[in-house]
Amino acid sequence: YDDTTEQPHRSLCLLEVPNVHGLSDDMRRLLGDQSITKVFCDGTSGADRRSLGIDDSDNYVDLEDITSSLVGATGVNRGLARIMNLAWPDPAVRATKDTRDKESVLFFAAIEQGKKPRLKALDEIPDRIRRYAAMDAWCTMMAYRGLRQQAQHEGLPMTD
């Protein structure tokens, strides 16, 4: 349930590994569905959105944009860990990112740049990188929920 409106609210976090043919038909259908809000923490680069074929006409939100609307713009992207902490300011656990650990980013960048072959199955991704990708997706969804609650509390319009 949405805490602010007492209305049923469903969130779903999907993690799909594109195969040699790209995204599945089901994932392309979901990404193209205008009734579904796609949530990113992509900032000005837009690399994640571009890699999925999301353009400005699609129904998406970016956590960097929402955070800037709530607490003001900065000269640099905040990143998911900082946004998570802003979205949930009172938790017992704080999110941090080891800035020295670039293994997961480099793994997927090498595939995107053609330096590694495209993946054929999930088991081709090392366990540590799979866990990171799942955690990243979950944190993005949780940060969106927290920012949405804050925006509603401040009376700012938000996409459901």
Side-chain angles (χ1 to χ4, degrees):
Y1 280 89
D2 184 325
D3 296 343
T4 59
T5 63
E6 300 299 323
Q7 297 294 316
H9 183 77
R10 287 186 20 200
S11 294
L12 183 61
C13 186
L14 299 175
L15 180 61
E16 176 176 286
V17 177
N19 60 30
V20 293
H21 305 291
L23 297 172
S24 69
D25 290 340
D26 287 335
M27 182 61 85
R28 280 194 288 272
R29 182 182 52 77
L30 290 170
L31 289 171
D33 188 331
Q34 292 298 314
S35 70
I36 298 172
T37 302
K38 281 65 79 177
V39 181
F40 294 91
C41 188
D42 216 8
T44 55
S45 77
D48 291 340
R49 290 188 304 273
R50 276 194 315 278
S51 73
L52 295 170
I54 302 290
D55 61 34
D56 288 340
S57 67
D58 289 313
N59 183 14
Y60 76 89
V61 295
D62 192 294
L63 299 180
E64 293 282 356
D65 296 337
I66 297 169
T67 305
S68 292
S69 296
L70 286 168
V71 297
T74 63
V76 297
N77 287 335
R78 288 177 173 89
L80 183 56
R82 284 190 185 106
I83 290 173
M84 183 81 168
N85 292 331
L86 289 168
W88 299 99
D90 299 319
V93 177
R94 305 302 288 162
T96 61
K97 181 174 182 173
D98 183 352
T99 56
R100 296 167 296 163
D101 184 3
K102 306 279 187 210
E103 183 181 5
S104 62
V105 172
L106 294 175
F107 180 85
F108 291 109
I111 294 168
E112 190 174 312
Q113 296 164 0
K115 295 176 183 174
K116 282 187 172 194
R118 290 185 67 99
L119 301 169
K120 295 178 186 144
L122 188 60
D123 64 358
E124 294 180 35
I125 302 173
D127 287 343
R128 182 169 180 235
I129 294 174
R130 268 190 282 174
R131 281 191 304 274
Y132 181 88
M135 183 231 21
D136 189 71
W138 182 83
C139 285
T140 299
M141 183 178 66
M142 293 305 295
Y144 176 65
R145 285 181 176 174
L147 291 175
R148 205 174 94 233
Q149 286 178 359
Q150 286 184 23
Q152 289 171 340
H153 183 264
E154 297 289 324
L156 300 173
M158 283 287 298
T159 304
D160 283 331

